[in-house]
Amino acid sequence: PPGGGGLCLVKHTEMDPVEARRKCEEGGAILCLDVPEGTEMRIDLQAWKAGPMFQGIKMIPPGIHLVSWAAGHETVGSVFAFRRGLVEVWRWDVREEDMDPIADQEEAKRLAIGVRNFDFDNRLGPYPEGQADAWTRLTYLISLRVLERSSISHGQKLSGAPSFSQDVEGEENSGSEAAHKRSASRDPSFAAIPSLRKPTGMDPSQVSQYNMDGSSRAQEMVRTHFEGHWEDLLGQLQLSFVMFVAMSVLNAAPNPMSCGKVLCLVCP
């Protein structure tokens, strides 16, 4: 991963220059300027500490990706829908102890062009080799519709778990601007999956069938809460799972269990 000792914490195989250029052109990138050395960073399944040369990640495969970082006493992250040639441009703010997209559109455009022209190439670490397939298997049903249903937009900052390695209470009591800004990061909102009750007016045989085969209950759940899209139920399960694993988003924890209950209602 791109991090310590300059760019990488672990050794990766040398890539053929032609292959490297192809991956850069076909993938996306995120430029992370002024990130302090030692800052905990993560993309998808891989975490590392930023090294002195770290300025971002290149060769990010098209699709949904989760980038997160330690901002003071809290984990903060964003979900990105990367496509070919997309460059996100972010900068660390020392006073706020956090990272934000560069607000000046002209500066952001100029820096993005620099990334595409390989001006930052020796300071951008490659997307972790061999991770793409595993991440795709975990997230292939997370669509833009699933993100929208969960109140998540491209590049929106999301709150994760607090860091217990520092005195969180001390920061809160200090009323610091950094703590206030991070508290404004939004939590994802996963669709509630309530338990289904037995409909009234059933005869005994219908009650038996209802209790033995939960397919009708599961189908009603999907129609009511996911507009008939089974893949959105599974996409929400995937999203909540990776957000809990990667960022310890606490309100994501119950969702995989709730989704699992619905799926268990369906007879094989």
Side-chain angles (χ1 to χ4, degrees):
L7 283 177
C8 296
L9 278 174
V10 296
K11 185 169 68 174
H12 60 278
T13 58
E14 291 295 329
M15 190 179 300
D16 177 76
V18 175
E19 177 70 6
R21 186 179 185 91
R22 182 187 66 80
K23 287 189 174 183
C24 284
E25 293 175 345
E26 293 182 355
I30 179 167
L31 186 65
C32 307
L33 299 176
D34 304 328
V35 175
E37 183 178 356
T39 299
E40 295 181 6
M41 302 286 298
R42 175 186 287 270
I43 183 167
D44 299 342
L45 302 174
Q46 187 69 61
W48 70 94
K49 290 185 182 293
M53 294 177 60
F54 174 77
Q55 287 193 339
I57 308 162
K58 59 186 176 181
M59 305 182 190
I60 303 174
I64 301 296
H65 295 277
L66 175 62
V67 179
S68 60
W69 56 92
H73 309 298
E74 184 180 22
T75 300
V76 177
S78 292
V79 176
F80 298 99
F82 279 101
R83 61 183 186 275
R84 179 188 178 102
L86 176 64
V87 178
E88 286 287 328
V89 182
W90 291 54
R91 174 175 283 139
W92 189 270
D93 189 305
V94 176
R95 184 182 65 177
E96 295 172 352
E97 301 177 14
D98 200 357
M99 192 164 61
D100 289 290
I102 290 180
D104 187 327
Q105 294 300 309
E106 288 301 318
E107 181 184 12
K109 182 178 179 181
R110 175 176 56 81
L111 290 169
I113 292 173
V115 171
R116 296 189 192 99
N117 290 337
F118 303 100
D119 296 344
F120 298 89
D121 200 53
N122 65 335
R123 291 180 174 268
L124 299 178
Y127 184 84
E129 186 177 2
Q131 180 177 287
D133 288 344
W135 179 253
T136 298
R137 287 195 296 270
L138 284 173
T139 61
Y140 71 99
L141 289 173
I142 302 177
S143 62
L144 294 178
R145 187 172 60 205
V146 170
L147 294 177
E148 182 179 358
R149 188 187 300 277
S150 303
S151 301
I152 297 174
S153 58
H154 174 95
Q156 171 192 316
K157 289 170 65 175
L158 304 168
S159 298
S163 169
F164 297 102
S165 60
Q166 304 182 53
D167 183 7
V168 177
E169 182 178 357
E171 179 181 286
E172 291 175 346
N173 292 338
S174 70
S176 69
E177 183 180 348
H180 174 73
K181 177 157 186 178
R182 284 195 301 276
S183 67
S185 299
R186 296 179 59 181
D187 294 324
S189 175
F190 299 106
I193 303 180
S195 59
L196 290 174
R197 300 184 180 277
K198 180 182 62 135
T200 58
M202 285 185 169
D203 60 37
S205 62
Q206 290 174 323
V207 171
S208 298
Q209 178 67 23
Y210 185 86
N211 289 326
M212 293 175 61
D213 181 1
S215 297
S216 60
R217 285 181 282 171
Q219 290 168 2
E220 178 62 25
M221 177 68 68
V222 171
R223 281 195 299 269
T224 303
H225 297 282
F226 295 94
E227 300 176 355
H229 298 288
W230 272 100
E231 64 273 20
D232 286 3
L233 169 65
L234 299 176
Q236 178 170 291
L237 187 156
Q238 291 181 342
L239 178 63
S240 59
F241 177 77
V242 296
M243 299 228 35
F244 178 70
V245 170
M247 290 181 59
S248 299
V249 176
L250 298 182
N251 70 331
N255 197 264
M257 293 183 288
S258 299
C259 292
K261 288 180 180 179
V262 174
L263 297 176
C264 288
L265 292 174
V266 182
C267 289

